[in-house]
Amino acid sequence: MSFTLTCPICGPRNAYEFGYGGEDKGPRPDEKDLSPGDWCDYVHMNRCIAGESKEWWIHRSGCGIWFTTSRDTTCNLEVRGKAEEKDANPPLEKE
Amino acid sequence: MNRIDPLETFRIQPSQKISIQYGRKSYEGVAGDTIAGLLYGNGIRVFSRSLKYHRPRGLYSLDGECSNTMMRVDGMPNVRTENTPARNGMKVTAQNVAGKTADTDPMAFMDKLGFAMPAGFYYRTLHKPAKMWPVAIKKIRKAAGLGVMDPDFRIEGYFDEIYPTADVCVVGGGPAGMTAALAAAAPGLRVILMENRPWLGGVFDYRPAAYEGDLPLYQRAAHLARKIEETPNIRVFTHTAVVGNYNDNLVTAFQRGNETDPFDERYIEIRARSIVVATGCIERPLLFENNDRPGVMQVGCAHRLARTWGLLPGRQAVFSIGDDLGLEAAADLSDLGLEIACVADTRMDGQDETLIDALSRRNIPVYRGWIAYKAHGAKQVKKVTIGPLAGVQRQDIECDLLVASAGLTPLTGLLSTRQVELLFDRHTGFFLPAGLPDGIHTAGRMLGFQDSVKIEISGQLAGMEAAADCGFNAPGEIDSIKVRINAFPGPALGSKIVSAPVKGKKTFICFDEDTTLKNIDQAMADGFDVPELIKRYTSAGTGPGQGGIPGHNLPLYVAQTQQSPDQAPRSTTVRAPLIPTLMATYAGTQHDMCKRTALHDSQVASGGKMERVGVWTRARRFAEDTKALAEIKNVRHNVGMLDASTLGKFRIHGPDALKALQRVYVSDMDKIVDGRVKYSAMCNEDGCIIDDGVVLKQGENDYYFTTSTGRAGQTVEWIRYHTRYDHWDFNIVNLTDACGVINLAGPNARKVLEKVTTADVSNEAFPFVGWRDLTLADCIPARTMRLGFVGELSYEFHVPASYTQTLWNILEAAGKELGIQNFGLEAQNGLRLEKGHLIIGSESEQRTTLHDVGLGFLWDRKPDANTVGAVALTQTEHQKDRLKLVGIKMADASAAAPKDGSAIVDTKFQGYICTARFSEALNEPIGMALVKDALAEPGTELNIYEDSCNGQLLKAIVAKMPFYDSDGSRMKM
């Protein structure tokens, strides 16, 4: 947790101040006809990319905002300025 | 030993005497001495015994590069005495030796057993037969090691932590670091400068060589240090070891306090916008037979002993060096009174000829291309064999000091911890950064620069580049400085000689781990060809010195001797902390930070037994009786008061507030009735219950709700998280700390309330689960709710925190004639248990769903709310084989209540007891348990395995809940 994250309100701050909210998987799927397996995948399965991952973070010890940002998981550094351009991570591919 | 006459470079106060105790004797020194320096001045030469062979070890370097001078100081093991200031009255003992001092050691015979301990012997020998190893390991542990940790040892002192802010962080307080700090501070940036030694100056600090004209280097250093001191936006941390450097310029360090500092050691963490690394060089050890003999020391060690502390390191010396600093030191030490027999320089040429001239003027012969082959003497150097690197001639010279150094090695650890790739530079022989991440710059000697002015200018350049990182870009100035730097000659050719051509049996590449060159050869013969692996196989460089001795030599030696000599040397990895740090420093001050309610003081004054509950300190009970039966009885039959201020309290308002509540609560919040609270629960996406509380509507689009104590901190975050894709318009305010809560409970509660309000609080006007905003005692606004957690007539007053104590006093006075009493958490627990009311976290765990605890009726199946957990609640509604919450009674009503958490078993685990207590109302133990649904029917017999039951399972029977007042009439009266 030695990197910094850029809070949209407070600017770059120590990662210690933030809480992790998981990968950005997009809004919840439609509940109708959802199988337990599909739901479980949405809630629990992650893509765990080695590389750029768009994620939710909260500025917990700061202003309290939830925001998305991209992080390179291979070096644990925020990919600055990319979050706005990027869509949510594509859904998981089914085996 | 007498000190030499005072010099301007001294860092001691010769008039101020101090004394320390070593072994059984007392030794005198002066203020400013290090522990090892003080002992050295008193003729002590052997400071410790080595890890495996119990060889005598002496003062070799001065910055903690090896464990040679680690001693036990005032009960603390492994103190690096060579850079720890001596304080009057310190008690010092030697380590890894049978006696109190290191001078004599009955275990010294281990040195003769070296043949039995080849490289990797831990892995290879003493394993056959297998039962021998447990015996052998005990023997090895007894014979080998460093300091011994006394299990009862408690570290004294104050260990702090600070997180200062800086634009530019400069590591290294030598000439390059100081000029970097000054340059970065020039445009007004906040600069932090950190230096490992207790003073600024670095390699300039003690040297009388000329800087420019007649100005000696030490005066130049003092001048720069003064300028630093006069610059208000530079904050200096001396005696500060920088131990790590991480992503986005996080620098971690620890500072040792002196006698006037308010801390003994403190952790420093800095997030800088730009970093300048100007850590300079240490010396690369020169290897030869018995190169670890006391009396062998590095150039800087000998030079600084004299110049900084006034201690001539010996009488008769031989130098074997590989760098100009060695020539310079020889000339200066000769002037200070050291007799120097000769200087052997491993280099054939490339020396600064003015230094050669200076030595010849002093009649000190310089032997180019010569090297020390062997140090003689049992406990300290008595004689040295020197000879040419190529050639058979040998010369023995009697001496008591051998100043030996192969060359320099840059301190690049801070770059390594930042994952910077280091490549071998054939010219300097250094491992230099292949490229630097943004916002990090290097300067000074670590780049191979030797010219004093060039060192300073490189610092200036790095400082300006760091300022540019912070937005103060001066391209023209930076370019002109670059031109100036390039005008200087490039880095000097560095010597790559590691060792004299000897067999290497007693040639130590690593002192800490007693690793010899022969061990390295053995490792290579065993097939290891990468220094990183050889390091592990031979443990060279894994000791407390963190590779300070073998870090550079090992890869050089391996590259020079391995089978494919075309490979460039590959460095080993260094890791943080770069310098051993006390665990106490990392632990910090350990303040126990907790929240106190507004009623804390009066709770304590009333005899409250306070304990930590989550982030709060709360009263568990008020009487000595751990079951709090008197408090329970008083609530059941009279009236009691509880400080419930820790409840989570929130206001949510705005056009989309209702939608947000519908999202997180399982119940339909559209159905809230005016003047009534609605009890509901929150689940997570798995349908597992995480919170319960009440919601009330206090106005249009305006709601007030409570959460359990433990969830108060996360609730705002939770609601915002689960509405993050919706862009709804609502505000949520955490009022937990802004409001206090008093719970007035018991059949006489109304009588107390009536005394403090004129409002109609009859059962008809203010019924159960109703809420009213009342004014109490004509002055206190109190949101009052009729709830029944403890199962009696009960009012909960939510009042501004600042009024809470006043209201408490008013209620206490009003209830005095009725005999009102405090009750605490233990009583509340017993009371609610009789009612079968659950506490999330006690009667639920991570996997417990809303259905499992019997609260499925709260779930309103709202069609379009996308309620968190609804999908899982649908899917798990009829799932089998789950743990269900049931009430239990003991088969033997006179038995004690089983311990919370006891397992319910038959042939396997079937569940566990959540909470069980003696019931005051039923006069028998009752409890709640989570058991497999097959065992959940009332009347089912359960077997309980309790910690101390000795195999005698306790018998319990599933009972219907609630245990007390099943129709709830007492709450509604």
Side-chain angles (χ1 to χ4, degrees):
Chain A
M1 288 289 278
S2 63
F3 54 106
T4 62
L5 286 168
T6 310
C7 168
I9 295 174
C10 311
R13 306 286 305 170
N14 263 338
Y16 301 118
E17 295 180 10
F18 296 85
Y20 181 59
E23 292 178 359
D24 183 11
K25 303 176 194 172
R28 326 151 45 101
D30 194 3
E31 291 178 14
K32 284 201 186 70
D33 310 320
L34 201 62
S35 76
D38 290 342
W39 177 248
C40 194
D41 283 353
Y42 172 73
V43 174
H44 295 293
M45 295 302 278
N46 289 298
R47 295 163 74 242
C48 300
I49 314 159
E52 248 180 70
S53 174
K54 193 183 178 198
E55 299 164 338
W56 282 99
W57 288 83
I58 182 174
H59 196 189
R60 184 175 284 151
S61 311
C63 61
I65 193 177
W66 278 106
F67 63 98
T68 52
T69 188
S70 281
R71 182 177 59 108
D72 185 340
T73 59
T74 58
C75 58
N76 223 10
L77 281 171
E78 188 182 30
V79 186
R80 302 248 154 79
K82 287 278 187 73
E84 304 81 44
E85 301 159 23
K86 266 193 92 183
D87 293 331
N89 299 315
L92 283 169
E93 281 172 34
K94 285 269 146 38
E95 296 287 317
Chain B
M1 181 185 287
N2 290 328
R3 304 254 171 183
I4 53 182
D5 292 336
L7 301 169
E8 279 187 48
T9 51
F10 272 14
R11 297 277 182 185
I12 48 170
Q13 288 91 49
S15 58
Q16 228 177 300
K17 304 282 181 229
I18 58 169
S19 77
I20 65 172
Q21 200 185 333
Y22 172 53
R24 290 194 179 82
K25 281 195 205 150
S26 181
Y27 294 92
E28 200 169 87
V30 298
D33 271 336
T34 62
I35 299 170
L38 188 151
L39 294 174
Y40 197 89
N42 283 285
I44 304 290
R45 290 293 175 269
V46 184
F47 286 80
S48 68
R49 290 282 169 163
S50 69
L51 183 87
K52 282 195 287 190
Y53 303 136
H54 286 255
R55 286 169 69 90
R57 290 281 159 82
L59 190 58
Y60 185 78
S61 62
L62 286 173
D63 287 314
E65 287 91 344
C66 60
S67 60
N68 280 13
T69 56
M70 279 191 170
M71 297 172 120
R72 186 185 187 85
V73 178
D74 291 338
M76 174 122 84
N78 301 336
V79 175
R80 286 159 293 157
T81 59
E82 66 195 43
N83 58 359
T84 302
R87 289 183 190 175
N88 209 16
M90 271 178 165
K91 286 187 174 59
V92 179
T93 48
Q95 296 185 162
N96 201 32
V97 62
K100 289 238 174 196
T101 73
D103 217 38
T104 48
D105 183 1
M107 293 289 284
F109 68 87
M110 292 295 289
D111 195 20
K112 302 267 191 295
L113 302 178
F115 67 90
M117 292 176 257
F121 89 98
Y122 291 111
Y123 312 119
R124 303 193 310 184
T125 56
L126 305 170
H127 286 282
K128 283 177 189 169
K131 63 184 170 193
M132 185 173 163
W133 180 241
V135 181
I137 196 167
K138 269 186 202 151
K139 295 278 175 207
I140 291 172
R141 285 201 174 136
K142 214 172 163 188
L146 288 161
V148 177
M149 190 75 197
D150 179 353
D152 295 328
F153 178 68
R154 286 189 70 86
I155 196 160
E156 299 285 327
Y158 187 79
F159 298 89
D160 210 346
E161 54 199 295
I162 55 168
Y163 300 81
T165 317
D167 297 311
V168 177
C169 177
V170 181
V171 185
M178 289 195 284
T179 50
L182 289 168
L189 292 167
R190 291 167 303 173
V191 177
I192 282 178
L193 174 63
M194 296 195 283
E195 165 57 39
N196 189 22
R197 292 184 187 151
W199 47 77
L200 297 176
V203 76
F204 280 12
D205 174 66
Y206 56 92
R207 287 163 62 197
Y211 169 73
E212 262 179 335
D214 285 341
L215 184 72
L217 288 173
Y218 66 84
Q219 282 186 10
R220 173 65 186 171
H223 169 72
L224 286 174
R226 255 196 318 280
K227 270 172 79 175
I228 297 270
E229 212 170 285
E230 286 161 5
T231 311
N233 49 328
I234 301 179
R235 186 170 177 186
V236 180
F237 292 99
T238 50
H239 223 180
T240 301
V242 179
V243 294
N245 172 19
Y246 308 93
N247 278 344
D248 290 320
N249 287 347
L250 186 80
V251 177
T252 57
F254 71 94
Q255 181 177 29
R256 296 206 255 165
N258 61 32
E259 271 151 331
T260 57
D261 283 319
F263 58 88
D264 289 270
E265 198 161 287
R266 67 178 174 187
Y267 174 73
I268 302 174
E269 188 177 300
I270 299 163
R271 174 82 66 186
R273 289 161 78 188
S274 192
I275 298 178
V276 176
V277 179
T279 40
C281 291
I282 55 172
E283 282 170 60
R284 191 161 61 77
L286 185 72
L287 270 51
F288 45 87
E289 223 40 14
N290 298 330
N291 61 318
D292 61 331
R293 243 342 142 237
V296 179
M297 66 171 64
Q298 293 189 324
V299 172
C301 180
H303 204 178
R304 288 175 64 206
L305 273 182
R307 276 274 163 189
T308 306
W309 289 282
L311 298 165
L312 262 195
R315 284 175 294 105
Q316 173 88 23
V318 171
F319 276 57
S320 179
I321 47 98
D323 183 87
D324 281 351
L325 283 175
L327 301 175
E328 183 191 310
D332 189 38
L333 284 168
S334 155
D335 292 348
L336 293 172
L338 183 68
E339 270 180 55
I340 298 172
C342 67
V343 176
D345 191 333
T346 55
R347 301 168 296 176
M348 287 304 293
D349 44 36
Q351 293 91 344
D352 182 346
E353 289 304 323
T354 57
L355 292 171
I356 301 283
D357 290 346
L359 288 172
S360 74
R361 274 200 307 279
R362 291 165 177 85
N363 295 321
I364 302 172
V366 177
Y367 302 150
R368 299 186 202 220
W370 278 47
I371 193 167
Y373 273 80
K374 184 174 185 177
H376 305 266
K379 272 188 215 161
Q380 80 182 74
V381 174
K382 292 207 167 84
K383 192 169 72 177
V384 175
T385 304
I386 60 168
L389 268 160
V392 292
Q393 198 184 335
R394 298 285 182 273
Q395 215 180 87
D396 285 352
I397 304 173
E398 297 210 350
C399 64
D400 64 346
L401 176 70
L402 172 55
V403 180
S405 183
L408 296 173
T409 182
L411 286 169
T412 49
L414 283 184
L415 302 176
S416 299
T417 61
R418 190 67 182 276
Q419 322 276 308
V420 173
E421 191 190 1
L422 297 171
L423 291 180
F424 186 69
D425 177 67
R426 294 218 169 265
H427 183 71
T428 52
F430 288 3
F431 290 101
L432 293 175
L436 293 170
D438 289 345
I440 180 161
H441 309 274
T442 50
R445 286 208 303 157
M446 65 182 300
L447 301 174
F449 299 159
Q450 287 186 321
D451 184 281
S452 305
V453 180
K454 187 179 185 182
I455 289 170
E456 283 193 8
I457 299 176
S458 77
Q460 201 183 344
L461 174 65
M464 291 171 75
E465 284 172 335
D469 289 340
C470 305
F472 289 88
N473 201 355
E477 284 178 55
I478 288 182
D479 288 344
S480 70
I481 294 235
K482 279 184 180 163
V483 171
R484 271 186 78 194
I485 288 190
N486 289 335
F488 283 93
L493 184 71
S495 163
K496 285 114 198 154
I497 303 291
V498 173
S499 172
V502 290
K503 284 187 180 149
K505 227 171 90 183
K506 296 292 173 196
T507 302
F508 288 86
I509 193 164
C510 176
F511 297 160
D512 293 2
E513 299 289 318
D514 263 354
T515 314
T516 61
L517 279 189
K518 194 171 175 209
N519 293 147
I520 306 296
D521 292 340
Q522 285 165 342
M524 285 194 281
D526 284 351
F528 294 96
D529 56 352
V530 182
E532 195 71 62
L533 297 175
I534 295 170
K535 171 180 163 183
R536 273 152 190 79
Y537 192 61
T538 62
S539 71
T542 59
Q546 316 256 96
I549 297 294
H552 195 171
N553 273 340
L554 177 63
L556 283 182
Y557 181 77
V558 171
Q560 286 162 11
T561 49
Q562 70 187 358
Q563 287 194 336
S564 46
D566 56 318
Q567 285 192 352
R570 280 187 276 177
S571 64
T572 55
T573 312
V574 297
R575 291 181 180 81
L578 298 174
I579 286 169
T581 310
L582 296 177
M583 297 299 284
T585 308
Y586 281 114
T589 46
Q590 290 294 300
H591 294 301
D592 181 28
M593 287 195 279
C594 66
K595 297 212 277 187
R596 291 174 168 189
T597 72
L599 300 173
H600 180 86
D601 291 344
S602 82
Q603 295 271 291
V604 172
S606 308
K609 309 278 182 282
M610 309 306 282
E611 67 179 44
R612 187 73 183 267
V613 182
V615 296
W616 294 92
T617 299
R618 302 191 67 181
R620 166 63 56 187
R621 57 195 159 81
F622 291 85
E624 290 304 322
D625 169 27
T626 54
K627 295 192 178 98
L629 290 178
E631 289 168 37
I632 290 175
K633 215 175 231 169
N634 183 56
V635 174
R636 285 274 178 257
H637 303 293
N638 183 20
V639 59
M641 276 202 297
L642 171 81
D643 176 11
S645 302
T646 63
L647 267 182
K649 298 169 282 289
F650 299 87
R651 179 190 178 198
I652 183 168
H653 61 102
D656 296 318
L658 179 61
K659 282 193 212 161
L661 290 174
Q662 296 285 47
R663 174 62 52 82
V664 293
Y665 277 109
V666 294
S667 309
D668 188 351
M669 291 301 165
D670 205 14
K671 292 185 182 149
I672 295 180
V673 179
D674 281 345
R676 289 175 83 96
V677 301
K678 189 167 181 66
Y679 173 74
S680 188
M682 293 192 212
C683 291
N684 64 14
E685 292 287 21
D686 297 324
C688 296
I689 185 164
I690 55 166
D691 188 31
D692 66 342
V694 298
V695 188
L696 60 86
K697 190 174 177 181
Q698 59 182 4
E700 191 60 28
N701 293 331
D702 197 351
Y703 299 83
Y704 181 85
F705 65 95
T706 65
T707 70
S708 55
T709 298
R711 282 291 295 181
Q714 295 131 298
T715 297
V716 171
E717 195 175 299
W718 181 260
I719 293 177
R720 291 210 175 117
Y721 182 76
H722 287 289
T723 55
R724 68 196 185 284
Y725 288 108
D726 299 292
H727 308 291
W728 285 342
D729 182 6
F730 66 88
N731 268 305
I732 177 162
V733 189
N734 187 342
L735 297 168
T736 303
D737 299 344
C739 294
V741 176
I742 299 169
N743 182 203
L744 179 72
N748 286 330
R750 188 177 289 113
K751 286 184 194 155
V752 178
L753 179 59
E754 277 168 344
K755 286 191 179 181
V756 297
T757 182
T758 51
D760 181 1
V761 291
S762 66
N763 199 29
E764 294 71 36
F766 187 1
F768 180 61
V769 299
W771 69 274
R772 302 286 181 272
D773 277 336
L774 302 178
T775 302
L776 302 183
D778 296 327
C779 59
I780 297 175
R783 171 152 299 166
T784 311
M785 305 178 199
R786 260 195 77 180
L787 302 172
F789 190 53
V790 296
E792 298 293 336
L793 171 65
S794 160
Y795 297 95
E796 211 171 271
F797 304 105
H798 294 229
V799 290
S802 54
Y803 290 164
T804 316
Q805 185 65 59
T806 309
L807 179 60
W808 181 274
N809 297 345
I810 289 169
L811 291 171
E812 201 169 38
K816 196 174 176 194
E817 60 180 26
L818 293 163
I820 196 167
Q821 278 175 26
N822 277 316
F823 68 102
L825 280 182
E826 186 56 37
Q828 185 197 38
N829 197 24
L831 289 160
R832 64 95 196 175
L833 185 63
E834 291 175 341
K835 280 297 296 176
H837 290 157
L838 59 136
I839 294 177
I840 311 295
S842 292
E843 276 70 51
S844 69
E845 36 112 322
Q846 280 188 36
R847 300 166 297 178
T848 310
T849 68
L850 191 70
H851 303 302
D852 294 339
V853 292
L855 292 179
F857 66 89
L858 291 173
W859 175 40
D860 279 334
R861 299 167 205 261
K862 298 164 281 182
D864 300 313
N866 279 338
T867 301
V868 178
V871 177
L873 286 175
T874 311
Q875 291 168 356
T876 59
E877 195 172 2
H878 303 294
Q879 209 177 27
K880 292 279 167 241
D881 206 28
R882 299 192 59 85
L883 294 177
K884 296 285 177 188
L885 189 67
V886 298
I888 58 151
K889 286 182 178 180
M890 300 308 284
D892 172 9
S894 64
K899 283 179 191 154
D900 295 353
S902 300
I904 293 165
V905 293
D906 46 26
T907 53
K908 57 181 197 250
F909 180 83
Q910 295 291 1
Y912 65 94
I913 304 291
C914 300
T915 310
R917 293 287 185 276
F918 177 77
S919 164
E920 188 274 333
L922 276 68
N923 199 28
E924 65 173 311
I926 56 167
M928 284 197 257
L930 279 163
V931 294
K932 283 281 169 64
D933 44 15
L935 300 176
E937 273 306 304
T940 312
E941 193 168 284
L942 302 175
N943 297 310
I944 300 169
Y945 180 89
E946 203 183 42
D947 271 357
S948 50
C949 69
N950 279 334
Q952 291 293 307
L953 298 182
L954 311 176
K955 301 280 181 207
I957 293 159
V958 176
K960 275 185 93 164
M961 288 197 292
F963 300 99
Y964 172 79
D965 184 30
S966 55
D967 58 356
S969 60
R970 293 186 67 83
M971 302 187 289
K972 297 170 187 160
M973 68 187 206

